[in-house]
Amino acid sequence: MSTISNETSNKKKLSERERQMQQEVLKRFRSKVSPSLGKLVKESDAVAKQFIPSPYEALEFGTEKPFEEGKNNHGIYGLERIYEDRAVLTPYFECSAYCRYCFKKTRTLGGEAKRMTDENIDAAIAYIGSDARIKTVLITGGDPFIDQELLEQVLVKVAEIPHVRNIRVGTRNILFQPEAITDELAEMIARFNHIDYENPANSRNISVGLSINHKDELTPDVIRAAQRFISRGIIIRGQTVLMKGINDNPQAILELISMFLAVGIVPYYLFHCMPVIGAKHFRTSVQRGIDILNAISRFSGSTAPHYVYVTPIGKHRVGPGHHLEYVEIEGLKYIKATTPYKATDFLEFSDNDKLPPLHEINEDGYVVSYYLDGDDDELEVL
Ligand code: SF4
């Protein structure tokens, strides 16, 4: 385990100003840690920083709803679609713990746990079933593994859609509640794998996307829970958020990837930390991630995750060697990029008839986006 050492860890004595700021943060944002995570928070600085409210969250920054929860896409609560070939379902909107770098901590999203109703689910299934271009359904949250009955109800219906070939379940509950990842749950998930040997186009794969940000999160219980899926032939893909003071160096990322591979998890995405409210102190520059991937690229190429930043119109991949173009807007540094997405495609799947702010269309019809960069400065003294 890494040792508790600095500003947002749970053993550092706060200054008077930091204490005041932390009080503000506690009033403004929710905080929740599951029992098994609580133990880990005490042992690991890298984990503590992700879950203990920090005074730095009081710094004015970021948006409360980078992606609107329960966005009424096509009028259907819990359905989202921004890509031609994928749809996202969010059956259950709560998490067992709140990651400080995520917008779930905001009180405006709090209150009673929200979930898709039977009517919402039927409408979403009818929408996906009516468009054969949708080959992948991502079931995310909140955390789909918290309400396992609801998840099964959704999976049964998704599996009835003949053109859906991939179902991906996104979770962090393997870390938050490894005790809830039972053999029964893994059996239930595995039932939705289907191989048609004669006609592979009729096959369907179900996989799990697991968010893990640091090697300290790979505890024996987490590895055991992951093995319940892996031993039943379910692929687990690891996804990681790049965060200042937690994993923003080549050694931390390389060690995490190496441990993923050792326990059978496929390294998949490295996400740049989104401009979420109260998350300024976590955000490195986008270039930092490129530098990290460059530094680890001399090791086996198969280990490198896709490095992406996420905007309202989709993911932007920025691999090793990528050259970033910067522009200044109102004194802030943005990354300008032509995306692989056609504006007409985006608008076809959007409820709006125009692109989100900070996006424009180039002469070839592709969307150009402006993404707020982070920085690699030392944290300012409070
Ligand atoms: S588990 Fe995922 S959705 Fe929930 S708070 Fe953490 S990052 Fe956000």
Side-chain angles (χ1 to χ4, degrees):
M1 294 285 163
S2 53
T3 52
I4 306 287
S5 61
N6 65 14
E7 69 290 333
T8 54
S9 67
N10 53 4
K11 288 191 181 163
K12 190 216 173 213
K13 238 175 159 327
L14 298 180
S15 70
E16 191 45 40
R17 172 143 193 261
E18 285 170 338
R19 223 187 321 273
Q20 280 170 6
M21 288 175 78
Q22 199 176 40
Q23 285 310 316
E24 273 176 49
V25 168
L26 291 174
K27 271 189 226 144
R28 189 167 179 192
F29 299 130
R30 302 183 294 172
S31 142
K32 182 162 74 171
V33 170
S34 61
S36 51
L37 187 63
K39 281 190 226 140
L40 197 53
V41 161
K42 291 198 185 94
E43 293 167 358
S44 164
D45 185 35
V47 177
K49 285 178 183 173
Q50 294 179 55
F51 296 98
I52 294 184
S54 157
Y56 286 91
E57 292 173 44
L59 299 176
E60 268 322 307
F61 175 78
T63 166
E64 207 162 289
K65 293 184 182 176
F67 304 104
E68 211 178 313
E69 187 174 28
K71 183 157 67 177
N72 283 318
N73 206 333
H74 305 270
I76 303 166
Y77 184 81
L79 169 77
E80 281 179 73
R81 184 181 186 192
I82 54 173
Y83 304 111
E84 178 179 304
D85 62 339
R86 274 156 282 177
V88 178
L89 294 178
T90 306
Y92 188 76
F93 285 81
E94 264 299 318
C95 301
S96 314
Y98 299 133
C99 310
R100 308 314 302 168
Y101 55 87
C102 177
F103 65 102
K104 289 275 171 184
K105 68 188 175 201
T106 54
R107 290 196 185 278
T108 48
L109 297 175
E112 284 173 29
K114 289 181 252 174
R115 48 174 284 166
M116 289 175 82
T117 62
D118 291 354
E119 293 72 37
N120 298 149
I121 294 168
D122 288 344
I125 295 296
Y127 173 83
I128 297 167
S130 70
D131 190 340
R133 293 175 297 177
I134 299 175
K135 299 281 186 266
T136 296
V137 173
L138 171 63
I139 301 177
T140 182
D143 206 297
F145 285 154
I146 295 178
D147 190 333
Q148 297 175 9
E149 263 179 47
L150 179 63
L151 174 61
E152 186 170 10
Q153 179 190 342
V154 170
L155 285 173
V156 166
K157 293 188 173 176
V158 171
E160 283 168 3
I161 304 172
H163 52 259
V164 171
R165 293 179 181 162
N166 290 291
I167 304 174
R168 302 195 329 230
V169 182
T171 184
R172 196 146 157 75
N173 229 35
I174 293 180
L175 168 67
F176 295 165
Q177 291 190 308
E179 67 283 0
I181 310 299
T182 58
D183 286 328
E184 291 71 35
L185 173 66
E187 291 287 343
M188 185 273 278
I189 297 292
R191 279 210 318 273
F192 294 95
N193 262 333
H194 168 72
I195 300 290
D196 185 328
Y197 293 93
E198 302 308 319
N199 187 355
N202 289 338
S203 298
R204 182 183 56 246
N205 179 265
I206 186 163
S207 60
V208 170
L210 170 61
S211 297
I212 292 283
N213 298 324
H214 191 273
K215 69 174 174 57
D216 287 357
E217 294 163 48
L218 291 171
T219 64
D221 285 346
V222 170
I223 295 168
R224 246 177 240 116
Q227 282 303 319
R228 295 211 154 87
F229 295 111
I230 295 167
S231 64
R232 289 171 171 86
I234 298 163
I235 295 167
I236 299 188
R237 297 189 180 90
Q239 40 202 43
T240 299
V241 178
L242 181 66
M243 282 180 283
K244 199 182 275 186
I246 294 175
N247 59 12
D248 62 333
N249 62 76
Q251 296 74 16
I253 295 296
L254 191 60
E255 182 61 6
L256 177 61
I257 289 171
S258 165
M259 281 182 59
F260 273 162
L261 290 170
V263 300
I265 296 172
V266 182
Y268 193 41
Y269 277 126
L270 177 65
F271 290 102
H272 185 253
C273 187
M274 284 163 50
V276 167
I277 190 163
K280 185 174 192 293
H281 58 295
F282 285 128
R283 299 187 82 235
T284 67
S285 67
V286 172
Q287 182 64 44
R288 181 90 191 116
I290 296 174
D291 293 343
I292 289 172
L293 286 194
N294 280 339
I296 67 172
S297 61
R298 67 197 170 92
F299 298 97
S300 169
S302 64
T303 64
H306 303 302
Y307 178 43
V308 295
Y309 63 83
V310 182
T311 75
I313 67 142
K315 296 186 190 79
H316 295 235
R317 205 179 281 192
V318 274
H322 196 98
H323 179 74
L324 299 172
E325 181 184 346
Y326 297 101
V327 292
E328 195 180 301
I329 303 173
E330 294 175 358
L332 297 172
K333 193 173 168 190
Y334 285 79
I335 293 166
K336 179 181 179 185
T338 302
T339 73
Y341 309 112
K342 284 257 188 192
T344 44
D345 292 345
F346 177 81
L347 293 172
E348 181 188 346
F349 310 126
S350 167
D351 287 342
N352 298 315
D353 55 5
K354 57 181 194 305
L355 294 176
L358 294 165
H359 291 80
E360 61 194 23
I361 306 174
N362 74 8
E363 61 276 11
D364 300 318
Y366 287 91
V367 178
V368 174
S369 77
Y370 296 84
Y371 177 76
L372 182 62
D373 202 7
D375 65 65
D376 301 315
D377 303 341
E378 294 281 315
L379 291 179
E380 61 187 271
V381 176
L382 296 176

